[in-house]
Amino acid sequence: MIIVMKQNSTKEELKEVVRRIGELGYHPHIIHGETRNVIGAVGDERGKSVLQSLDSLPGVESVVPILKPYKLASREVSPLPSIIDVGRGVQIGGDKVVVMAGPCAVESCEQILATARAVKEAGATVLRGGAFKPRTSPYSFQGLEEEGLKMLAEAREETGLPIVTEVVNPKDAEMVGCYADILQVGARNVQNFPLLKALGRLGKPVLLKRGMSTTIQEFLMSAEYILSEGNRQVILCERGVRTFETATRNTLDISAVPVLKEQTHLPVIIDPSHATGHARLVPAMCFAAIAAGADGLIVEVHPEPEKATSDGAQSLRPEAFSVMMTKLREFAKVTGRGL
Ligand code: PEP
Ligand code: MN
């Protein structure tokens, strides 16, 4: 249920509503709006009608049901777009299209530093790199784990770029959170509910990737797991879904951007690398993402793609990334946004 407060309601009245929501066994989530405050009361759907009694409290304008199954993620509760501050002056969901770039996996100090310098020079504002790699084969490179996180932190110190890196196991959430500015949940873990809850409690920005066969509603329900634990800092990422097509690694669902934008206030970004699986197709999908209204991109870049331990074929060389960024900057301007 959404409890809409009157425009001239007082802080004390809001506090009393919050207290009563808790007393009734629901979790209050206050959303401060420009003209009025609303409180989302979430919890067991079966007994929600008891919340209707709150409409007689002082300062309450109305009590209305949230129609969508995802409550806190929905535009019904928060009509305005959310802007996520990831530190070091970077905000996602605002006027600028944020470009995150870096290798699929952190392989060495030299590799991550060289990539970080190059992507920064080209205009990226977040550095990506996997230290825990959820690979299809148990025999493939699994990542440098904490050593890799230390290398990422070093690259951040040198370049000032905040870092996004994947966490696979809920047990590692706190440790990864000590290094990362944004914690990535990979496509394979989109419905790993213990992991989502752990990240909800951690309270750091989360980049949640859509699973390869996750509907948009299921995707938003996964976001809801994080939000319902009290963490509002969720960034959604469309990275291609599995279809009959084999010319590309996945099929980029570009329409997911405007659909998500209708349904949720959370920022939406696109991963053109995992979506296509081919470096040569990445620029076209970046243009498409910006045209569709995405808030950002996450792009794989490797100084020597032919030597990459993972995803070399879809990784851009720094020079190609730089050329693409110059063109994207012009293009973003046409759409009324900066890069
Ligand atoms: C990645 O970002 O390197 C990755 C493994 O992506 P996804 O989870 O989308 O496959
Ligand atoms: Mn990858």
Side-chain angles (χ1 to χ4, degrees), residues 104 128 133 166 184 186-188 209 239 274 300 311:
C104 180
R128 69 148 285 152
K133 296 305 303 173
E166 181 161 356
Q184 177 176 325
R188 291 154 192 81
K209 287 199 163 191
R239 45 77 76 203
H274 293 86
E300 285 186 339
D311 291 348

